[in-house]
Amino acid sequence: MGPMSRVTSDLTISLDGFLAGPNQSRTDPLGEGAELLHRWMFEDGEANAPERDGILDAGAYIVGRNMFAGPGAWDKDWRGWWGEEPPYHAPVFVLTHQQRAPLVMQGGTTFNFVTDGVESALEQARAAAGERSVAIAGGAQTVQQFLAAGLIDELRLHIAPIILGAGERLLDGVPNLTLEPIDVRGTRFVTHVRYKVTP
Amino acid sequence: MGPMSRVTSDLTISLDGFLAGPNQSRTDPLGEGAELLHRWMFEDGEANAPERDGILDAGAYIVGRNMFAGPGAWDKDWRGWWGEEPPYHAPVFVLTHQQRAPLVMQGGTTFNFVTDGVESALEQARAAAGERSVAIAGGAQTVQQFLAAGLIDELRLHIAPIILGAGERLLDGVPNLTLEPIDVRGTRFVTHVRYKVTP
């Protein structure tokens, strides 16, 4: 058995710390104003290729139920936001209370529904990832749970130069952690900072 | 007459956006936990010399009354937190409602008390700074006033890798601005980002 895979989390936040704007809904999952957070990826992708590749490099992903379906119970036919070929191309473990059989999508993505908590999700994701990393892909509450439990090794913040003023904050309710900035790089629409996290 | 001096503001904030911890008082002006914000300057000064020099490079400073004296009315003999030779070595304009004659300190610092608002303070500071820049040195409310009024040309954030969880946030109540990151650099205890601000 090889070394345990590294656990990473990539999050784009506003300069005032929000990862989603106000009034998130199933028709506006990012909340008001928050599409500007992701300009760096969609309008300036080439300049940010290393960081974009880093996000897509994981061997397995873990997401919260809101990230998969938004707030509220989901319809049994709901297949996520991303169409038939989601960008993960790897197993995705969805934290939820709704039991459901795995959902096999095109291009290598399978959504697996985990109803027994974050530790179990991580164990399953590690098994699926092999030697590659496991990425905690959001939303805020899920990342907060993993950070508070000391389960994230590397936090990669992508700080967009916008002020949202309201919405969901990434770091609310997270206890102080030992964070060490290990790499920083800037482009036009974003500042990338990688932090090594020690509980 | 030369070009108008540039207006800058250097602020050290936590990763969750606080520039001061909770329970600020005259005996603990930074608030609880916030001394860690400034490690980069005091424990790793050499590695951060360019940014430290940048802070001290202004030809005049503007500060809020809390920055000069903490909350509450000050005693008529109060001479600031910094001893007889404050680190400014330049004129400092204190925004206040308490009229007072200028206070001449050692080493080139003079505290001037401005009772007629931010525009007047800026005009006086520009006149004093000549071709050098004017620095808005804090605290949060003062910076927020200048940002909201579109009077800051360059915001220089020094982002410390700590999570304070509570205290005074730098960017609360600031409307969205056009911010362009123009320089980024990291050292062990801090990530420096300079933003060009366009109202």
Side-chain angles (χ1 to χ4, degrees):
Chain A
M1 190 174 146
M4 266 209 308
S5 53
R6 195 168 53 146
V7 181
T8 63
S9 186
D10 279 88
L11 283 314
T12 297
I13 59 174
S14 65
L15 197 49
D16 50 347
F18 294 99
L19 108 178
N23 302 316
Q24 289 171 269
S25 68
R26 202 157 291 172
T27 51
D28 186 10
L30 295 176
E32 290 165 19
E35 63 286 348
L36 288 176
L37 286 174
H38 303 281
R39 278 183 92 169
W40 69 271
M41 210 183 282
F42 297 111
E43 291 179 40
D44 199 23
E46 215 162 300
N48 297 292
E51 290 77 14
R52 210 163 59 158
D53 290 350
I55 294 176
L56 298 173
D57 185 48
Y61 294 83
I62 296 175
V63 303
R65 53 99 59 230
N66 286 354
M67 179 106 179
F68 176 71
W74 66 64
D75 189 280
K76 68 177 171 42
D77 298 325
W78 178 258
R79 298 168 69 79
W81 309 100
W82 303 275
E84 285 306 301
E85 187 173 342
Y88 298 102
H89 307 293
V92 177
F93 296 86
V94 182
L95 291 160
T96 174
H97 296 289
Q98 260 175 284
Q99 290 202 338
R100 182 168 172 178
L103 189 57
V104 179
M105 311 297 286
Q106 292 168 26
T109 299
T110 298
F111 292 112
N112 304 276
F113 301 90
V114 179
T115 57
D116 52 353
V118 299
E119 306 262 1
S120 168
L122 183 54
E123 196 178 314
Q124 295 177 54
R126 279 196 207 275
E131 296 194 357
R132 296 172 72 192
S133 62
V134 171
I136 314 301
Q141 289 172 34
T142 298
V143 176
Q144 286 160 11
Q145 273 185 289
F146 278 91
L147 279 175
L151 296 174
I152 291 180
D153 300 311
E154 191 174 306
L155 181 65
R156 303 168 180 170
L157 296 186
H158 310 283
I159 305 171
I162 64 170
I163 297 174
L164 280 179
E168 194 171 18
R169 279 204 158 100
L170 174 62
L171 293 173
D172 266 3
V174 174
N176 199 6
L177 304 160
T178 302
L179 297 167
E180 187 189 340
I182 52 180
D183 192 44
V184 54
R185 200 175 84 86
T187 61
R188 190 159 50 129
F189 296 130
V190 69
T191 303
H192 306 288
V193 193
R194 291 199 297 132
Y195 292 95
K196 182 179 161 195
V197 188
T198 314
Chain B
M1 189 173 144
M4 264 209 310
S5 53
R6 194 170 54 148
V7 181
T8 63
S9 186
D10 279 88
L11 284 312
T12 296
I13 59 174
S14 65
L15 197 49
D16 51 346
F18 295 99
L19 109 177
N23 301 317
Q24 290 170 268
S25 68
R26 201 157 294 172
T27 52
D28 186 11
L30 294 175
E32 291 164 19
E35 62 286 349
L36 288 175
L37 286 174
H38 302 283
R39 278 183 92 168
W40 69 271
M41 211 183 281
F42 297 112
E43 292 179 39
D44 199 24
E46 216 161 300
N48 297 292
E51 289 78 15
R52 210 163 59 157
D53 292 350
I55 293 175
L56 298 173
D57 185 48
Y61 295 83
I62 296 174
V63 302
R65 53 100 58 228
N66 286 354
M67 179 104 178
F68 175 70
W74 67 64
D75 189 280
K76 69 179 171 39
D77 297 325
W78 179 257
R79 297 169 71 79
W81 309 102
W82 303 276
E84 284 306 299
E85 187 171 342
Y88 299 103
H89 307 293
V92 178
F93 296 85
V94 182
L95 292 159
T96 174
H97 295 292
Q98 262 176 282
Q99 290 203 338
R100 182 167 172 180
L103 188 56
V104 180
M105 310 297 286
Q106 290 168 26
T109 299
T110 298
F111 293 112
N112 304 276
F113 301 90
V114 180
T115 56
D116 53 351
V118 298
E119 306 262 1
S120 168
L122 183 54
E123 196 177 315
Q124 294 177 55
R126 280 196 207 275
E131 294 196 357
R132 297 172 71 191
S133 61
V134 171
I136 313 301
Q141 289 173 34
T142 299
V143 176
Q144 285 159 13
Q145 272 185 290
F146 278 91
L147 280 174
L151 297 174
I152 291 179
D153 301 311
E154 191 174 306
L155 181 65
R156 303 168 181 169
L157 295 186
H158 311 284
I159 305 171
I162 64 170
I163 298 173
L164 281 179
E168 194 172 19
R169 278 201 159 102
L170 173 63
L171 293 173
D172 267 2
V174 174
N176 199 5
L177 304 159
T178 302
L179 296 167
E180 186 191 338
I182 52 179
D183 192 42
V184 55
R185 198 175 87 86
T187 61
R188 191 159 50 129
F189 296 131
V190 69
T191 303
H192 306 287
V193 193
R194 291 199 296 133
Y195 293 95
K196 183 179 160 192
V197 188
T198 315

